[in-house]
Amino acid sequence: MKLTEQDLRILQFETYEDYLDSLVDDKSLQYFGDREIVLSLYRTGYRALTKEAFDAQRSFLQVAKDPNTLFSRNIQPTDPLLQELAKRERPNRLGLLSTIIYMRYMKRTAEISGYIDYEEALRRVHQDQQYSHDWQAIFAGAAVLYPTPADLLYYNARTGRSRRNNTRNYQIRCDPRRGIIFRNMYDRKDIHPDPFGSFYGTNTSRTEVPSALYEQVVLYDHVVRKNY
């Protein structure tokens, strides 16, 4: 993931108050008349990040800036799936490996299933963003990962609600013979999540992971061959 100057600007501020102070300018003071009124307005999220969003984004950027600093760092997951995801976190964030997670999860009385683009989900960490993830809590076992309507494919068996989304890493395609196909946007290779097939795509492997937390979990690991 390449960070922009706008992203890295958040890292310039040690505290949320420093960040808010940087947004106060002559124009806002002229309009509202009082510095404290301006700051109070910004704290609500008006033309600024909320404190929760600022803390989450700054924490994520500190991790993203250094590939050796991971959400799973200093955490020893006990669930087999979390152990496997911890192994794959760094190569996914570096773009060397691209993992698609298929899972079936019982949430209360409804089974939720779908496919998750792991690298894209690692970036979805802002606390005020819908369907975001607290990855440190997930690796520590304090929260559970499951498909959401923002992921590649999502299906709620109780409500019948389904969603499909292309991501930065994958485009979803449908083949009349082989069904769903995920095309990697970097090397243009196709991943075939066919449980009855023997070929899952060039440089792609399939691993079924036992987990007490889920009905079924399968990892499709694609070694990315970038064309540059």
Side-chain angles (χ1 to χ4, degrees):
M1 175 185 178
K2 184 177 180 180
L3 301 181
T4 66
E5 291 185 8
Q6 185 65 26
D7 290 329
L8 295 174
R9 181 176 179 275
I10 297 295
L11 296 177
Q12 297 175 6
F13 308 108
E14 291 296 326
T15 68
Y16 181 60
E17 295 304 320
D18 291 340
Y19 162 71
L20 291 182
D21 283 338
S22 75
L23 301 177
V24 179
D25 55 20
D26 292 339
K27 186 176 181 180
S28 59
L29 287 175
Q30 182 180 7
Y31 188 80
F32 292 101
D34 184 85
R35 186 181 188 83
E36 287 305 314
I37 292 177
V38 176
L39 291 174
S40 296
L41 188 61
Y42 285 164
R43 289 189 188 97
T44 67
Y46 174 76
R47 295 186 177 179
L49 297 173
T50 63
K51 186 177 188 307
E52 291 77 12
F54 173 84
D55 290 341
Q57 186 167 341
R58 193 173 190 281
S59 175
F60 171 69
L61 290 171
Q62 287 174 323
V63 172
K65 188 177 179 182
D66 180 4
N68 294 303
T69 304
L70 308 172
F71 292 125
S72 57
R73 187 177 184 180
N74 299 324
I75 299 176
Q76 296 182 341
T78 56
D79 184 79
L81 171 63
L82 299 179
Q83 293 172 355
E84 293 297 325
L85 293 182
K87 294 176 187 176
R88 291 162 169 80
E89 182 183 1
R90 185 169 187 269
N92 267 269
R93 289 186 45 221
L94 290 174
L96 304 175
L97 183 72
S98 183
T99 300
I100 295 176
I101 308 166
Y102 169 75
M103 60 170 51
R104 294 166 49 224
Y105 173 68
M106 289 298 298
K107 185 179 181 182
R108 300 186 181 92
T109 59
E111 180 176 292
I112 295 174
S113 60
Y115 291 85
I116 300 172
D117 177 345
Y118 184 32
E119 189 276 334
E120 193 270 346
L122 284 170
R123 290 186 286 109
R124 199 163 65 238
V125 297
H126 304 301
Q127 293 182 15
D128 66 342
Q129 180 179 339
Q130 192 176 24
Y131 307 125
S132 63
H133 298 294
D134 184 342
W135 279 101
Q136 289 179 325
I138 289 172
F139 282 118
V144 179
L145 173 68
Y146 53 84
T148 74
D151 288 307
L152 276 169
L153 287 174
Y154 165 87
Y155 178 67
N156 185 313
R158 181 172 63 84
T159 64
R161 184 186 182 189
S162 64
R163 288 289 299 274
R164 54 182 287 179
N165 305 283
N166 294 325
T167 68
R168 185 179 69 169
N169 299 303
Y170 287 101
Q171 181 185 69
I172 301 174
R173 303 167 67 87
C174 293
D175 182 272
R177 186 173 61 87
R178 300 211 61 174
I180 292 292
I181 295 173
F182 300 111
R183 172 158 293 179
N184 188 278
M185 300 307 294
Y186 289 96
D187 62 10
R188 315 300 296 180
K189 302 298 184 184
D190 291 339
I191 287 78
H192 303 273
D194 182 356
F196 303 107
S198 57
F199 176 73
Y200 307 106
T202 303
N203 304 321
T204 301
S205 62
R206 179 185 187 273
T207 304
E208 190 149 358
V209 183
S211 172
L213 299 175
Y214 303 93
E215 304 301 303
Q216 183 183 14
V217 181
V218 179
L219 303 180
Y220 293 91
D221 293 314
H222 176 65
V223 178
V224 181
R225 306 296 187 192
K226 294 187 176 179
N227 299 320
Y228 53 83

